[in-house]
Amino acid sequence: MSKQIELNRDLGRISSDTMADVVESRLRDYFKKKFFKPGDSLPKELELAEALGVSRNVVREALSRLRMLGMIESRKKRGMILASPDILGVFERVLDPLIITEETLQDLFELRLVLEMGLADILFINLNDKHLHELESIVNNEAKVSEQGFRIKNEIAFHGKLYEIAGNDTLKRFQNMLLPIFEYVLKLEKELVSGKVSHHDLVDLLKSGDKHQFRQGMYEHLKPHFDKLEQMKK
Amino acid sequence: MSKQIELNRDLGRISSDTMADVVESRLRDYFKKKFFKPGDSLPKELELAEALGVSRNVVREALSRLRMLGMIESRKKRGMILASPDILGVFERVLDPLIITEETLQDLFELRLVLEMGLADILFINLNDKHLHELESIVNNEAKVSEQGFRIKNEIAFHGKLYEIAGNDTLKRFQNMLLPIFEYVLKLEKELVSGKVSHHDLVDLLKSGDKHQFRQGMYEHLKPHFDKLEQMKK
């Protein structure tokens, strides 16, 4: 982390909060303090504006933000209710490699490595024959073509399937969202480097190895990335 | 994943998008299509309203959302510019265990297990003597007290330090945000179950073991959680 970034984070910018920021944060605190639960009816826009002593426009702006986060919903006849936000939906909106800083892109790429290495345990809890067949057909597809764009697609299909097998919907969606980031970072490299353990080898390890052997195989598969990381940190 | 949730996701709810939703999405597309980069000046509110044929209020509402996401900033004299969003800042706003569904809480708890198991590789790349001293002092603190609330705090301090050592700012912040979730799930359990490998043992493994031994130790440390997971999936 650069010194400037560290300073920015530790010191915190003096915010020129708009009224909408203030109202948004006030509403958030109010929901917490009153232990509102998903499904509970919320006060009307006009009531909120009066209680806060601000214009209806400002309240509408703040509510619009909470609606975007999925924290509130409007129901016919019932008015506004508190909702269970889709925690990843909002994440998706900001994960654009073109506007994220390079430092964050690198962090997310590392995060991917951590996830792939940590996946083995829950992967082996769920793994069944159907999964193995699906992985095999991805690998067989791959053997046929060597064009770079296609290889990246297959790389994504293979690793995506592993997350799917792990059976955790949030994790799977999270990885799906990170894909454009990985793809972007991979495209920055001149060629698609791969360790000495191939996808084909990994499927073999899933079939007849244990989770330790699979994890070691995954490490070898990702080794060029880990090597690069080691060089950077030195 | 329950059938209803799967159906909801696959089919997708017919949205009663407000005008702000439409304008927000239109602006997002426009930035992408025109390859706007962080720092680029954006058209004025009034110009956008005219181009879109909507009221200024609607544009203001949509811009307010993008501002909340950190995607745009207002600069004195320069007007609005596109910005690099703080990708985790927005995530933080929705990670409230009281409003997240139980299914997502469970997913996030599993995600934590995956991260802890996957951390070993980048942990060992960064580890130095200073880190070991810091971990030791956390562990020594822990030996002195057995009160449950304190133990949870120490649990968090110990694992948080591991993420810090990994040297990935995004990952560290991500784990920090997930803490209230873990704490919430841990409090649901009657007692703080721990595997036969303690934090103390884990520090020893960091000092004199290799990353494979450390990872195996971490698995044993987290084993009660993995066991529970295995039971649930059966």
Side-chain angles (χ1 to χ4, degrees), chain A residues 67 93, chain B residues 13-26 61 65:
Chain A
R67 195 170 289 119
R93 289 173 190 245
Chain B
R13 191 170 291 205
I14 303 287
S15 75
S16 55
D17 277 3
T18 64
M19 282 305 286
D21 291 317
V22 179
V23 170
E24 184 210 328
S25 140
R26 192 74 75 88
E61 212 176 307
R65 293 173 171 202

Side-chain angles (χ1 to χ4, degrees), chain A residues 20 36 44 46 48-49 53-54 57 67 92-93 100 102 106 113 124 139 155 182 186 196 201 206 208 223 229:
Chain A
F36 274 105
K44 291 193 183 59
L46 193 65
L48 293 170
V54 297
N57 269 341
R67 195 170 289 119
E92 200 164 18
R93 289 173 190 245
I100 292 179
E102 269 200 39
Q106 178 59 33
L113 298 179
F124 270 81
V139 169
E155 172 79 15
F182 305 151
L186 286 175
K196 63 183 187 211
D201 300 331
L206 282 173
S208 48
K223 195 155 188 303
L229 210 65

Side-chain angles (χ1 to χ4, degrees), chain B residues 55-73:
Chain B
S55 79
R56 251 184 109 151
N57 269 342
V58 171
V59 172
R60 192 176 298 133
E61 212 176 307
L63 290 173
S64 180
R65 293 173 171 202
L66 297 179
R67 196 170 289 119
M68 180 187 72
L69 296 174
M71 280 182 68
I72 60 172
E73 283 176 9

Side-chain angles (χ1 to χ4, degrees), chain A residues 45 63 67 71-83, chain B residues 13 16 18:
Chain A
E45 199 176 284
L63 290 173
R67 195 170 289 119
M71 281 181 68
I72 60 173
E73 283 175 9
S74 297
R75 289 284 162 84
K76 281 208 173 103
K77 290 186 186 159
R78 288 193 51 204
M80 277 191 301
I81 58 165
L82 196 71
Chain B
R13 191 170 291 205
S16 55
T18 64

